[in-house]
Amino acid sequence: ACSYETRYWIYATNFVGYYLYPFDNFSSMQQNYQLMYNNGARTMLDETQNGNYEGMTGWHMLKSYLSNNLAWDIYADMNALIDRFFKHYFLDAADDMRAYFESYLNFSRLQMNGLCPGIGAFTYEIGKAQYWPKAVIDTWQGYVESALTKIEKYKTLDPEKYDMLYKH
């Protein structure tokens, strides 16, 4: 059947073999939503790990949050949305996890523009060790360890909250 509505289906996950790998569409997400809306979109699917609640990564939880908010307001302040997500999702560990996220965004851009230009986010090349320097991984591990230290108090104060934050 023919439809006169414009519909978009975009991807926010690497479905080609590295489903849990970080997939950086954060810098283009709002711009894409605005472009689709301005081109008459009435239906849009931004396919990510949604529905995979047990295995969805924290960055994909952020994408889901941003997607839902941008669907209501394509001109929302992205930095304010990201700050709010980190504040509520990570609580005491928000600053460390935000620093980790910013480091990831910077490294992702370096990967695409310097370390492995032209390979694209949907290739099998992204899984090669040469694209993940140990120093970068160690830096990220440091953010995680610091974040875990900051939530440690909840182990005794509120074990359920600790478990949730640990999982996040």
Side-chain angles (χ1 to χ4, degrees):
C2 184
S3 172
Y4 293 100
E5 291 183 356
T6 304
R7 299 169 187 219
Y8 289 88
W9 187 340
I10 60 177
Y11 296 98
T13 296
N14 185 333
F15 289 103
V16 180
Y18 295 101
Y19 185 67
L20 296 178
Y21 270 57
F23 181 90
D24 181 9
N25 68 320
F26 293 101
S27 60
S28 63
M29 188 178 213
Q30 185 170 36
Q31 185 178 16
N32 287 339
Y33 282 38
Q34 291 170 353
L35 178 70
M36 288 181 270
Y37 178 80
N38 292 330
N39 282 301
R42 294 300 168 253
T43 306
M44 187 266 302
L45 172 63
D46 192 356
E47 190 169 0
T48 183
Q49 296 176 4
N50 292 347
N52 178 25
Y53 301 112
E54 290 302 315
M56 202 163 156
T57 67
W59 295 168
H60 283 279
M61 292 296 284
L62 172 59
K63 286 180 190 187
S64 181
Y65 172 79
L66 292 172
S67 180
N68 287 317
N69 279 275
L70 290 173
W72 285 104
D73 179 5
I74 59 173
Y75 299 105
D77 182 333
M78 283 284 283
N79 282 324
L81 290 173
I82 293 169
D83 284 341
R84 187 171 26 164
F85 175 85
F86 277 85
K87 179 182 174 185
H88 295 284
Y89 195 72
F90 295 110
L91 299 180
D92 302 55
D95 290 341
D96 289 310
M97 296 308 291
R98 180 68 191 251
Y100 176 10
F101 177 68
E102 293 298 329
S103 177
Y104 152 71
L105 290 178
N106 290 330
F107 182 72
S108 176
R109 291 174 190 126
L110 174 64
Q111 277 184 314
M112 298 312 291
N113 296 318
L115 292 178
C116 43
I119 68 163
F122 282 107
T123 68
Y124 291 99
E125 298 292 312
I126 199 69
K128 290 185 176 180
Q130 70 198 54
Y131 299 130
W132 300 93
K134 185 167 179 354
V136 172
I137 302 300
D138 289 344
T139 298
W140 293 348
Q141 185 64 36
Y143 291 131
V144 171
E145 289 171 6
S146 179
L148 290 173
T149 299
K150 290 179 180 167
I151 65 166
E152 184 74 20
K153 66 184 177 189
Y154 293 111
K155 264 187 178 177
T156 54
L157 291 175
D158 187 342
E160 191 173 305
K161 183 181 281 186
Y162 175 80
D163 290 343
M164 176 196 68
L165 289 169
Y166 184 85
K167 183 178 177 183
H168 289 177

